[in-house]
């Protein structure tokens, strides 16, 4: 509000301008302010100076101080860096407005056009720490008092646009509403400049505006002509957004937000949601702002089953068209999901209204993400140059679950403004473009963790934001096709097909190289003479020799004497899968019969691509180096361990020792009963090859019975499937190793979330399956390394390995249980340490840990046992005097691990943190950031998995065409067939690479899942430990013991994962040293 004693009408206009919450109110109040001060709007920085000189009362001065501090940075050269540059910005979204603000601070003349006439998007954006600091520095709290108060780290799009619009208007940006940009108009003759094509007919001043820089922020559906856009496809992904009215009642304010819950690591939540409502989701986020904002990813089959979609269509646009979506059903769906996620604490949920007065709920498709191949171009005609740059969604469409859209959008806006500054300084077009493309390469990799930690130093200069910056990563010669002189047609990039063809031609002789490599690997073995890639392998001896070369010690070649070709080949295929991670793509019968020569070549090429760089030595080949299938191997062992565990639970004899198959001959003794039988009859296809196979048709899918082409084959449980067939019978999700089970009743495969539960001990307390055992890497398959140290537990027996069939009940004392519940097994020694905390914080952490805490910071004497000096240090932090402006800009202090544990202990065990609100807010925000990091990591993995699946489908389609051509009886020239075979081998290598990457991601998923399980079990165990022993019932003690056993399982599994990763890291170092 204006000062009570003020009679200046400009003050009232200025206060209305600050508080305006509608776009039209902002514009009208600003026009009134300019009229009262006799200032022409849209006049650039001189206009800002005039307004500031005439409005010098206290409320305005606090805003001027912030803007002057920003404008005073040396990079802007006091507003003269781009004083002769004329810019046109298209789009008044957050990124377009942020770019306009930076250009105005550089002193450029900035005109912005926007086709809309109001801001109406309620959807909420997640803000990175640097975006919060950046907006605060522009006076966000003056325009929107609730901006990021407490632990909030988000803002609605509408509020963000409003505050940036106000800053842009104050800095002299000229804005035109209701004007649509349709293209650029080249100069008709020498001496003229570039203009914009606008609709409807713009004012003469705008129509005749000539500019030399165009910044497009018009969204992903509009990219200026000349730019090439690449599509990044995943599998079908349907998002649903819903905005509910926020009444700001006391009950509503107390409902906690959900920074992100993903099914990929918290299946129990989504199982409960499915059982209670029938809604099947991948993830859900809830933010509280002007509205209650929910966004979630829904399964298509669920939407069809609940009547949200009328009909299933293969075309996504038709599937989600207005005619196919039932609005009432969609509203019921969103309301039920939101009500369940918040436990019904929001009361009666009423939808907010969108721009058209309808309930603000919508379904959208984010299957495809668009990304521009380049971020800038230069066009020149009649001597007039035009610099074009992209920011926002038309540069890179964000994947919404990652929460990266506005943060990376702001970074792109800064980078684009830096490009304009370099342009204004007179740098050459190619040099400017090369620098911009060098920065663009960094954009998709940015995260709060890999940027400079000190966000207060961020500025326009890229060096203040990006560590390890290399502005010469792209050379001027590489961007020549981005410089279009005399308005020629833009240079088209070479298509992938042309590149693939050249690659295939250039790699002619790959089949010969494969044959030579196989001959080298099998040389010297008795009875093995490899002369081709077909009949030489029929006896199985060559394949056994290859496996023995790569993994000596499994058996001696002499032990194969007397064994039949089929059992020798079966053993070799199984050992290659279980000890080398080479997944079979054909059956043993096909190898022996020679019925699938193409399949055999593809199979052998997997050995070649995985191990061709290994030294020729009699020792075992180390696993884990880049390109080896170690992750596939680990997941395979995990799945087999899971199957043995389930067999033991069902009373079946599954052995229980490490799988090791040995060939039995008449002269050898039987293997001991503790070992697995040599060849499990039920798991290996031992039937004679059919006529269909002998004719070269290959294997058949175990589910649909249809023919399997090489690129389509997926091996699981010793059977071959179409990848498209090997899906969850319930939700049709792709199944991955360690993430599925076959139901013993109906025989179908299910993901763990939808596996029908028989209702006995298989079901855990959370309604989901029991935690799965993780296999410990065997000594002969992985190099020996020290295991990760853990906190010693007195009186506790070692955790049994998965190979043991029984577990002994472990009884621990209360302190030992407290230690166990807080184990933190995530070694991250190579990551950058957090910034050093303030002195008093360090003293707090050190003294508290040394004086009063054990384990995870559990008080030995209660909170009263804290040293007086520690409490005094905390009180000193809280009691330091500060002005209201300093409080407004107060930043959270950085926490190291020890200090965070101390604060967690205080918060959990004593309630002392209520006396220290600054530290309490810091801790809560830090916890939210960690939750968001885990969610974003899970969503990035999910998106990449979807992209891999889409890429594999494309490879399968290409592979089928090539295989049909190769198998046809047509008389094609031998040279053409050789070329097709080379191309097929390249596709096989691409597939193997994608499958290996997929396995790496699934291991990360397993880590996230175990972290979540440990967190949940820790909370449950603490609830029991906090009870008085005398008040515990027998049921309480039994439940506590059960939770403790589950926690032991999870800790054991996490330890196995960590050992696997550490062993792989050391083997990579060893391989690098050898190289």
């Amino acid at each position: 509000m204006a000062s009570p004693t003020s009679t200046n009408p400009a003050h009232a206009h200025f206060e209305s301008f600050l508080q305006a919450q509608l776009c039209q109110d902002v514009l009208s109040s600003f026009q009134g302010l300019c009229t009262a001060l006799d200032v022409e709007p849209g006049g650039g920085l001189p206009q800002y100076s005039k307004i500031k000189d005439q409005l010098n009362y206290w409320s305005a001065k606090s805003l001027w101080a912030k803007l002057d501090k920003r404008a005073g940075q040396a990079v802007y050269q006091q507003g003269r860096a781009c004083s002769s540059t004329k810019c046109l910005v298209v789009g008044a979204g957050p990124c377009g407005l942020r770019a306009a603000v930076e250009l105005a601070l550089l002193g450029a003349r900035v005109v912005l056009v926007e086709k809309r006439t109001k801001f109406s998007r309620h959807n909420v954006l997640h803000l990175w720490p640097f975006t919060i600091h950046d907006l605060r520095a522009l006076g966000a709290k003056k325009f929107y008092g609730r901006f990021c108060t407490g632990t909030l780290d988000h803002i609605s799009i509408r509020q963000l646009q409003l505050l940036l619009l106000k800053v842009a208007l104050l800095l002299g940006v000229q804005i035109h509403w209701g004007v649509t940009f349709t293209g650029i108009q080249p100069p008709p003759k020498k001496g003229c400049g570039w203009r914009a094509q606008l609709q409807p007919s713009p004012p003469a001043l705008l129509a005749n505006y000539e500019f030399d820089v165009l910044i497009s922020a018009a969204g992903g559906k509009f990219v200026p002509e000349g730019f090439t856009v690449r599509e990044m496809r995943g599998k079908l992904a349907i998002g649903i957004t819903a905005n509910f009215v926020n009444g700001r009642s006391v009950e509503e304010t107390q409902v906690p937000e959900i920074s992100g819950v993903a099914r990929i690591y918290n299946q129990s939540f989504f199982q409960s949601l499915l059982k209670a409502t029938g809604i099947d989701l991948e993830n859900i986020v809830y933010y509280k702002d002007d509205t209650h904002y929910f966004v979630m990813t829904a399964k298509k089959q669920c939407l069809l089953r609940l009547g949200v979609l009328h009909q299933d269509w293969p075309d996504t646009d038709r599937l989600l068209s207005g005619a196919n979506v039932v609005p009432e059903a969609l509203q019921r769906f969103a309301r039920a999901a939101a009500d369940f996620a918040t436990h019904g604490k929001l009361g009666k949920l009423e939808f907010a209204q969108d721009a058209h007065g309808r309930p603000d709920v919508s379904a959208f498709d984010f299957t495809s993400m668009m990304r521009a191949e380049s971020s800038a171009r230069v066009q020149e005609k009649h001597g007039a140059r035009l610099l074009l740059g992209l920011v926002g969604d038309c540069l890179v469409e964000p994947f919404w679950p990652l929460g990266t859209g506005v943060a990376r959008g702001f970074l792109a806006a800064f980078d684009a403004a830096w490009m304009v500054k370099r342009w204004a300084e007179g740098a050459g077009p190619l040099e400017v473009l090369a620098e911009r493309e060098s920065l663009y390469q960094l954009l998709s990799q940015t995260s709060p963790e890999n940027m400079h930690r000190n966000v207060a130093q961020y500025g326009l200069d890229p060096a203040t934001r990006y560590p390890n910056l290399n502005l010469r990563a792209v050379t001027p010669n590489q961007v020549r096709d981005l410089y279009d002189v005399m308005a020629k047609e833009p240079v088209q990039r070479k298509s992938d097909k042309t590149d693939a063809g050249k690659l295939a031609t250039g790699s002619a002789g790959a089949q010969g190289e494969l044959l030579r490599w196989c001959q080298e690997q099998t040389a010297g073995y008795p009875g093995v003479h490899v002369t081709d890639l077909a009949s030489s392998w029929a006896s199985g001896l060559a394949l056994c020799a290859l496996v023995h070369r790569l993994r000596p010690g499994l058996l001696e070649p002499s032990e194969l004497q007397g064994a039949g070709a089929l059992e020798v080949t079966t053993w070799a295929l199984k050992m290659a899968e279980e000890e080398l991670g080479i997944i079979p793509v054909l059956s043993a019968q096909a190898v022996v019969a020679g019925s699938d020569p193409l399949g055999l070549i593809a199979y052998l090429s997997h050995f070649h691509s995985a191990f061709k760089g290994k030294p020729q030595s009699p020792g075992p080949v180390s696993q884990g180096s880049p390109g080896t299938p170690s992750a596939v191997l680990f997941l395979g062992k995990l799945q087999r361990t899971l199957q043995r565990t389930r067999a033991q639970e069902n009373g079946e004899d599954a052995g229980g020792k490490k799988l090791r198959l040995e060939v039995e001959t008449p002269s050898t003794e039987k293997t001991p009963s503790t070992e697995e039988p040599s060849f499990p009859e039920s798991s290996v296809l031992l039937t004679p090859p059919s006529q269909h196979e002998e004719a070269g048709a290959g294997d058949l899918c175990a589910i649909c019975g249809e023919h399997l082409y090489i690129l389509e084959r997926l091996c699981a449980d010793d059977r071959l499937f179409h990848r498209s067939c090997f899906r969850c019978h319930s939700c049709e999700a792709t199944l991955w190793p360690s993430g599925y089970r076959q139901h013993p009743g109906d025989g179908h495969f299910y993901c763990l979330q939808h596996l029908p539960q028989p209702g006995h001990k298989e079901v855990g307390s959370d309604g989901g399956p029991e935690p799965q055992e993780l296999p410990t890497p065997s000594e002969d398959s992985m190099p020996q390394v020290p295991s990760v140290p853990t906190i010693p537990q007195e009186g506790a027996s070692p955790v049994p390995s998965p190979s043991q069939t029984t577990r002994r009940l472990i009884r621990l004392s209360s302190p030992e249980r407290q230690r166990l519940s807080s184990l933190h097994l995530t070694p991250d020694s190579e990551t950058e340490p957090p910034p050093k905390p303030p002195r008093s914080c360090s003293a707090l952490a050190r003294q508290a840990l040394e004086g009063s805490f054990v384990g995870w910071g559990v008080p030995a004497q209660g909170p009263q046992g804290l040293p007086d000096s520690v409490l005094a240090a905390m009180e000193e932090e809280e009691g330091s005097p500060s002005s209201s402006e300093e409080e407004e800009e107060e930043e959270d202090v950085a926490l190291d691990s020890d200090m965070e544990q101390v604060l967690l202990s205080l918060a959990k065990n004593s309630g002392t943190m209520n006396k220290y609100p600054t530290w309490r807010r810091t801790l809560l925000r830090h916890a939210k950031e960690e939750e968001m990091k885990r969610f974003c990591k899970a969503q990035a993995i999910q998106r990449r998995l979807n992209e891999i699946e889409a890429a594999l489908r494309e490879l399968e389609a290409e592979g089928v065409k090539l295989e049909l051509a190769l198998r046809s009886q047509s008389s094609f020239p031998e040279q053409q067939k050789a070329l097709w075979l080379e191309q097929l081998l390249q596709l096989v290598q691409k597939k193997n690479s994608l499958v290996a990457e997929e396995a790496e991601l699934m291991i990360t998923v397993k880590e996230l899942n175990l972290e979540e399980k440990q967190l949940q079990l820790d909370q449950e165990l603490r609830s029991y430990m906090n009870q008085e022993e005398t008040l515990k019932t027998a049921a309480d003690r039994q439940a506590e013991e059960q939770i403790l056993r589950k926690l032991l399982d999870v800790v054991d599994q996490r330890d196995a994962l960590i050992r696997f990763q550490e062993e792989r890291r050391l083997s990579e170092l060893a391989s690098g040293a050898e190289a």
Side-chain angles (χ1 to χ4, degrees), residues 509-523 528-537 542 546 600-601 604-605 608 981-982 985:
Q511 185 178 355
E513 181 185 349
L514 174 60
L515 177 59
R516 286 191 298 272
W517 183 82
C518 291
Q519 290 171 336
E520 291 173 358
Q521 297 297 318
T522 58
V528 177
H529 302 285
V530 175
T531 58
D532 55 30
L533 297 175
S535 59
S536 298
W537 304 83
L546 182 59
L600 180 60
I601 291 174
L604 294 174
S605 71
H608 180 240
L981 182 58
E982 304 293 346
L985 291 178

Side-chain angles (χ1 to χ4, degrees), residues 685-900:
L685 301 173
L686 296 177
T687 56
S690 65
Q691 294 180 357
H692 196 50
E693 290 174 336
E694 290 176 355
D699 291 282
L700 303 180
C701 175
I703 291 180
C704 70
E706 295 295 325
H707 172 59
L708 277 168
Y709 292 95
I710 294 171
L711 268 295
E712 294 178 325
R713 298 174 190 177
L714 181 147
C715 183
D717 296 346
D718 296 321
R719 288 175 287 176
L720 294 174
F721 305 88
H722 287 106
R723 189 179 177 92
S724 58
C725 291
F726 195 63
R727 295 177 177 273
C728 174
H729 184 67
S730 176
C731 67
E732 298 187 356
T734 302
L735 298 177
W736 291 296
S738 80
Y740 71 89
R741 291 180 189 168
Q742 186 175 15
H743 192 269
D746 59 21
H748 293 300
F749 292 95
Y750 293 89
C751 66
L752 297 183
Q753 180 181 356
H754 297 105
L755 180 69
Q757 302 295 342
H760 58 280
K761 62 182 180 180
E762 177 180 327
V763 181
S765 61
D766 60 354
E770 292 285 349
Q772 305 160 16
E773 296 275 4
L774 281 175
T776 303
S778 58
E779 296 180 1
D780 59 348
S781 64
M782 295 289 181
Q784 285 290 331
V785 295
S787 60
V788 179
T790 58
I791 298 176
Q793 302 181 30
E794 299 177 3
S797 301
V799 179
S801 67
S803 62
Q804 293 174 299
T805 58
T806 59
R807 289 183 181 273
R808 184 169 63 84
L809 182 63
I810 300 174
R811 297 189 179 278
L812 303 178
S813 62
S814 294
E816 290 167 341
R817 292 173 184 169
Q818 291 169 341
R819 286 184 185 179
L820 175 64
S821 69
S822 60
L823 286 178
H824 192 63
L825 299 175
T826 46
D828 200 12
S829 58
E830 296 183 2
T831 57
E832 182 181 353
K836 186 177 180 180
R839 178 196 56 79
S840 58
C841 305
S842 300
L844 164 66
R846 183 178 62 257
Q847 294 180 30
L849 284 170
E850 293 175 354
S852 300
F853 293 90
V854 294
W856 190 26
V858 178
Q861 304 172 356
Q864 294 80 8
L866 280 174
D868 294 339
S869 58
V870 175
L871 295 176
M874 294 179 68
E875 291 168 359
E876 180 183 354
E877 287 284 335
E878 292 292 337
S880 57
S882 61
S883 65
S884 60
E885 202 62 39
E886 289 172 341
E887 291 174 0
E888 175 184 302
E889 299 302 319
E890 186 175 13
E891 298 290 340
D892 299 325
V893 283
L895 299 179
D896 62 18
S897 57
D898 288 345
M899 179 168 50
E900 182 181 359

Side-chain angles (χ1 to χ4, degrees), residues 531-575:
T531 58
D532 55 30
L533 297 175
S535 59
S536 298
W537 304 83
S539 67
L541 295 178
L543 196 54
C544 283
L546 182 59
V547 172
H548 183 268
R549 173 75 72 180
L550 300 173
R551 180 70 70 236
L554 293 178
L555 85 165
E556 291 301 321
S558 59
E559 297 178 6
L560 297 175
Q561 296 177 0
L566 184 59
E567 61 180 353
V568 170
T569 304
T570 302
W571 179 90
L573 290 174
K574 201 163 190 66
M575 286 298 97

